[in-house]
Amino acid sequence: MKFRHAIYVYVSQSCHNHKLLIFTIKIACHLENFFLKDPELRMKLSPKYLSHKEVYEDAVKKSCLILKKVKEFQDTGRGGDINIYSQILGGMLGSAILKDGNPLSLHFVMFIPTIMGQGTIEQQAEWITRAWFCNIIGTYAQTELGHGTFIRGLETTSTYDPSTQEFILNSPTLTSYKWWPGGLGHTANYAVVVAQLYTKSECKGIHPFIVQLRDEETHEPLPGIKIGEIGTKLGMNGTNNGFLGFDNYRIPRTNMLMKNSKILEDGTYVKAPNSKLTYGTMMFVRVVLIKDASRYLSKACTIAIRYSAVRKQGQIKAEGPETQIIDYVTQQYKLFPSLATCFALLMAADYIWELYNNVNAELDQGELERLPELHALSCCLKAVATADATVAAEKLRMSCGGHGYMDASNLPTTYGLLTAMCTYEGENTVLLLQTARYLVKAWKQAVNHESLPPTVKYLEAAARRGKRRPWKNTLTCIIIAHQAVAAGKIQLAVENMERRIKSGMSQEDAWNATSIELSQAAESHCRVFLVETYINGVKRLTSVSKNLHQVLLQICEIYSIYWVLQRVGDFLRFSCLNTQDVPVLQKRLEELLSLVRPNAVGIVDGFDIRDEILGSALGAYDGNVYQHLFDEAMKSPLNQKSVNESYHKYLKPFMKSNL
């Protein structure tokens, strides 16, 4: 069965206009050719063979060239509706050209969106055009050396001086230095800086400010600015993560982003109508990360599944031929749930992107009702999506044996990109606990028979404690079971926390003591959303063939059953699942693995990730794994001479020394 075009249609967008979809595919192909066939953008040597300084300098060179080519591409008139910047900065295409990170990403992903979301009309008029045309390069400086997700604890201060109508920025401690912002080290000359606002001797909490960091001509740091790069990391070494400190550095009053909160000329503070309005940029990035996690995982799945079809190891039957490792059920168990996770995350990303846009439109009309739901969902989805994708990518890497450990497989780099997501833009455990706060409130509302938003509406039925229905091996039953597990864990966490409070523990200490249960409840709630969105999304598909729809349902069922078996204790405890149902589910999972096996390579081919983007000797479309591995090995600088100079300088004298 051939899935290449059909799967690409499915994963690219939900488009019922066939002509528009074909046009979009052609535009995407033109875009890839336009960039990937440029010799200046091709990676001549793996970043692993370059020094840290060379990696950064190459990333800056290519970033500038990429953005020039974006303008050239748009001038050709072939741009259509495709979001070129998302493809280049965070999508597959960008990761192919800049494998170790892009120092300009935060300029487009954080700096500009923050000004658009939190700046006044006048501030947008002053800054957006300059930023959009890259007359200035910005970043987003929030995280500090001593504080990350807990932004209320940030130490950088911005004190208003009404006599000059300026803010004075200071870094009072070493831990108050900004630490981690991409592009901050040596690339950006401006930043949106998040600092504690002081006016009339009172702290008004954190607020964003536009701050010039470097001279626009010489790029030298301005007086009062202490700035540099933080060093090498597990991955993303081209991103140019930096540090930033302030020593009585002054900026104009009008550099405070004042769409929500304001400082008047005399220092009077005007509070925002809702404090959560300032978190819009963070929610935007978390929404984007969910789709990025799916994209990176699709690369890992493509590599591992193609390699598993080529690699032969051992024999299932002693008298038979050597076996393709994809025919081992244990290998299928490593591969196919990870493949299913790609689709689950993609469906979730589409849903929350639409929700984000709808809520943003409502915010512009002054409607704030759905903001808490979006915040809670974006928090837990970011946490679960990045964690699941990271675990899956590592499992896929290990499924490729020793060759998966090689950089030439591109699996270590892909894992590095994914695992970084687990801590930036909100550390995952902290995000789960933020969702848990929302769920505690939602449970209490359900108990009081109040109506709940769509993503937590299942708690209404759970609070009524209806009679459990017998287990059936259907997708509908699995959705209900996931809901029962999440509701049960939320209820138990709330009851245990309230019990601790009644015993004399403070509310804060009770929350901390119950935090394991609360974070697990939030993860289970997110799993409800993922499973339900995935199942309902696949069921509603009408634009694919009957055969493809059947295969997509099989993969969906793998995902749904897999997570029941992974958390079987929870399902036995809270849902209608009984011990006798577990072997039936296990058998069904094994059946599904065998059903997907003949179509697995066709499915990942359908992701339509060209070799230059995949960047893997193991996952190349032609399947010529061993030749590609050998060719990559020969590119090593150590293989350019038959004898390395260290032999004559060190090894030979040592060997002749008769030690």
Side-chain angles (χ1 to χ4, degrees):
M1 191 179 293
K2 297 186 182 296
F3 294 105
R4 189 172 179 85
H5 175 73
I7 289 282
Y8 180 73
V9 169
Y10 167 67
V11 301
S12 61
Q13 60 179 357
S14 299
C15 182
H16 300 292
N17 186 327
H18 185 69
K19 290 182 179 179
L20 176 60
L21 182 55
I22 295 299
F23 176 71
T24 304
I25 293 171
K26 287 180 179 179
I27 292 295
C29 185
H30 284 313
L31 184 67
E32 291 176 358
N33 288 334
F34 187 76
F35 283 91
L36 295 176
K37 291 190 176 181
D38 188 322
E40 290 190 77
L41 291 178
R42 289 181 184 170
M43 182 63 69
K44 299 176 179 64
L45 201 62
S46 167
K48 299 291 183 179
Y49 295 132
L50 303 177
S51 70
H52 183 56
K53 181 171 176 286
E54 289 170 329
V55 167
Y56 167 65
E57 290 168 352
D58 184 66
V60 172
K61 173 187 173 183
K62 287 182 177 173
S63 296
C64 294
L65 182 58
I66 284 169
L67 291 173
K68 288 180 181 177
K69 288 186 71 66
V70 166
K71 179 65 166 60
E72 290 177 28
F73 187 80
Q74 290 173 327
D75 288 344
T76 65
R78 293 180 294 179
D81 294 325
I82 195 165
N83 190 336
I84 301 175
Y85 286 95
S86 68
Q87 286 279 332
I88 289 295
L89 296 173
M92 295 287 203
L93 186 53
S95 67
I97 300 169
L98 290 165
K99 298 181 186 297
D100 217 8
N102 186 331
L104 297 182
S105 287
L106 258 67
H107 175 71
F108 288 98
V109 176
M110 294 287 284
F111 183 69
I112 292 176
T114 302
I115 297 173
M116 292 177 69
Q118 300 190 42
T120 62
I121 297 297
E122 294 77 16
Q123 289 173 322
Q124 291 179 34
E126 180 179 356
W127 297 102
I128 292 296
T129 301
R130 296 186 72 205
W132 187 252
F133 289 105
C134 295
N135 302 132
I136 59 173
I137 299 295
T139 185
Y140 183 84
Q142 176 172 291
T143 300
E144 296 176 355
L145 186 56
H147 286 92
T149 307
F150 181 59
I151 57 176
R152 281 185 290 138
L154 297 179
E155 299 176 82
T156 302
T157 62
S158 180
T159 305
Y160 184 63
D161 179 359
S163 66
T164 61
Q165 294 190 29
E166 292 176 318
F167 289 100
I168 307 168
L169 278 78
N170 272 298
S171 303
T173 63
L174 178 62
T175 52
S176 70
Y177 272 51
K178 297 300 178 183
W179 194 272
W180 278 114
L184 177 61
H186 293 276
T187 310
N189 57 1
Y190 280 80
V192 169
V193 175
V194 180
Q196 299 285 1
L197 168 61
Y198 284 83
T199 184
K200 296 185 176 182
S201 302
E202 291 183 5
C203 181
K204 298 299 183 180
I206 59 163
H207 291 75
F209 303 83
I210 299 178
V211 182
Q212 183 176 355
L213 308 175
R214 294 175 177 270
D215 186 276
E216 290 191 23
E217 292 300 324
T218 66
H219 208 58
E220 287 290 340
L222 297 175
I225 297 290
K226 302 174 184 178
I227 195 168
E229 196 247 4
I230 66 173
T232 58
K233 309 171 292 294
L234 177 77
M236 302 183 74
N237 286 296
T239 306
N240 192 222
N241 301 92
F243 65 80
L244 171 64
F246 299 101
D247 183 11
N248 291 317
Y249 185 75
R250 289 177 175 264
I251 61 172
R253 179 185 70 89
T254 52
N255 279 32
M256 173 182 164
L257 293 174
M258 298 198 209
K259 180 180 179 180
N260 301 311
S261 302
K262 298 177 178 64
I263 286 286
L264 305 183
E265 291 183 7
D266 65 353
T268 300
Y269 178 71
V270 181
K271 187 178 180 181
N274 189 307
S275 61
K276 289 186 172 64
L277 291 172
T278 59
Y279 300 135
T281 305
M282 296 294 287
M283 284 194 289
F284 166 74
V285 177
R286 288 167 190 162
V287 169
V288 171
L289 286 179
I290 297 160
K291 181 156 280 189
D292 283 350
S294 172
R295 286 167 171 164
Y296 288 131
L297 183 55
S298 70
K299 290 173 75 169
C301 285
T302 302
I303 294 165
I305 288 174
R306 283 180 177 173
Y307 175 70
S308 296
V310 173
R311 179 72 170 184
K312 294 181 179 179
Q313 193 81 25
Q315 298 166 297
I316 292 178
K317 296 179 180 178
E319 67 279 4
E322 197 168 7
T323 304
Q324 291 172 275
I325 61 174
I326 199 171
D327 287 330
Y328 291 108
V329 176
T330 50
Q331 185 76 352
Q332 294 168 9
Y333 186 63
K334 295 174 186 176
L335 300 175
F336 300 161
S338 299
L339 177 62
T341 300
C342 285
F343 291 105
L345 298 185
L346 182 73
M347 289 275 193
D350 287 343
Y351 181 101
I352 196 169
W353 178 249
E354 185 176 352
L355 177 62
Y356 173 82
N357 287 321
N358 290 339
V359 171
N360 258 3
E362 291 169 4
L363 290 177
D364 289 339
Q365 303 301 317
E367 299 174 20
L368 307 176
E369 289 79 8
R370 300 179 71 193
L371 188 60
E373 181 189 23
L374 172 62
H375 178 254
L377 187 59
S378 68
C379 283
C380 70
L381 261 182
K382 184 271 179 184
V384 173
T386 56
D388 283 1
T390 300
V391 170
E394 175 64 353
K395 189 179 293 183
L396 291 165
R397 183 191 68 76
M398 295 183 74
S399 76
C400 295
H403 293 331
Y405 192 67
M406 297 190 68
D407 280 315
S409 73
N410 202 24
L411 290 168
T413 299
T414 303
Y415 172 79
L417 292 169
L418 282 166
T419 194
M421 293 182 188
C422 294
T423 46
Y424 66 66
E425 309 312 330
E427 192 276 332
N428 282 358
T429 302
V430 175
L431 292 184
L432 288 173
L433 289 172
Q434 288 189 27
T435 300
R437 290 193 185 278
Y438 176 79
L439 294 176
V440 169
K441 293 176 184 176
W443 176 256
K444 291 177 180 178
Q445 289 174 312
V447 170
N448 292 329
H449 307 293
E450 297 176 35
S451 181
L452 296 175
T455 56
V456 287
K457 203 161 190 65
Y458 67 92
L459 295 179
E460 294 177 8
R464 293 194 294 269
R465 293 186 178 85
K467 184 180 178 182
R468 289 185 179 182
R469 288 180 266 180
W471 181 268
K472 294 180 181 179
N473 287 331
T474 64
L475 292 174
T476 300
C477 179
I478 288 175
I479 290 174
I480 294 170
H482 275 280
Q483 292 172 343
V485 167
K489 296 179 87 168
I490 294 166
Q491 178 185 3
L492 200 60
V494 171
E495 290 173 351
N496 286 339
M497 186 167 60
E498 289 177 342
R499 190 178 301 115
R500 289 182 167 109
I501 293 171
K502 287 178 181 177
S503 69
M505 195 177 282
S506 71
Q507 189 165 346
E508 295 81 3
D509 287 337
W511 176 272
N512 183 45
T514 319
S515 58
I516 295 174
E517 293 174 76
L518 288 164
S519 61
Q520 290 175 348
E523 191 268 344
S524 294
H525 164 70
C526 188
R527 198 69 61 193
V528 170
F529 175 80
L530 284 166
V531 169
E532 187 171 7
T533 303
Y534 189 7
I535 291 172
N536 291 338
V538 173
K539 283 183 175 180
R540 284 195 299 264
L541 277 176
T542 58
S543 58
V544 298
S545 69
K546 182 179 179 181
N547 288 338
L548 175 57
H549 192 249
Q550 182 181 23
V551 174
L552 292 173
L553 275 172
Q554 291 166 356
I555 300 170
C556 178
E557 194 176 351
I558 285 176
Y559 182 84
S560 306
I561 294 175
Y562 175 83
W563 281 107
V564 173
L565 295 174
Q566 284 291 298
R567 301 285 192 269
V568 68
D570 288 338
F571 283 85
L572 289 171
R573 186 180 183 188
F574 295 110
S575 79
C576 59
L577 184 74
N578 293 310
T579 52
Q580 62 267 29
D581 300 314
V582 177
V584 180
L585 276 176
Q586 180 67 36
K587 182 182 178 184
R588 177 57 181 163
L589 178 65
E590 292 161 3
E591 289 173 355
L592 289 164
L593 296 177
S594 66
L595 289 171
V596 170
R597 158 64 185 98
N599 299 312
V601 173
I603 292 165
V604 295
D605 283 355
F607 289 139
D608 205 38
I609 308 172
R610 58 196 289 167
D611 285 350
E612 299 97 318
I613 293 175
L614 203 60
S616 173
L618 303 189
Y621 185 66
D622 64 8
N624 199 1
V625 169
Y626 304 114
Q627 185 63 53
H628 291 309
L629 277 173
F630 188 81
D631 292 343
E632 288 300 313
M634 292 307 295
K635 293 178 184 177
S636 168
L638 287 173
N639 286 329
Q640 305 314 304
K641 292 182 179 179
S642 60
V643 179
N644 184 264
E645 61 185 23
S646 63
Y647 172 76
H648 296 291
K649 291 173 84 171
Y650 310 114
L651 192 57
K652 184 177 180 180
F654 173 75
M655 294 168 69
K656 299 292 185 181
S657 65
N658 296 319
L659 183 63

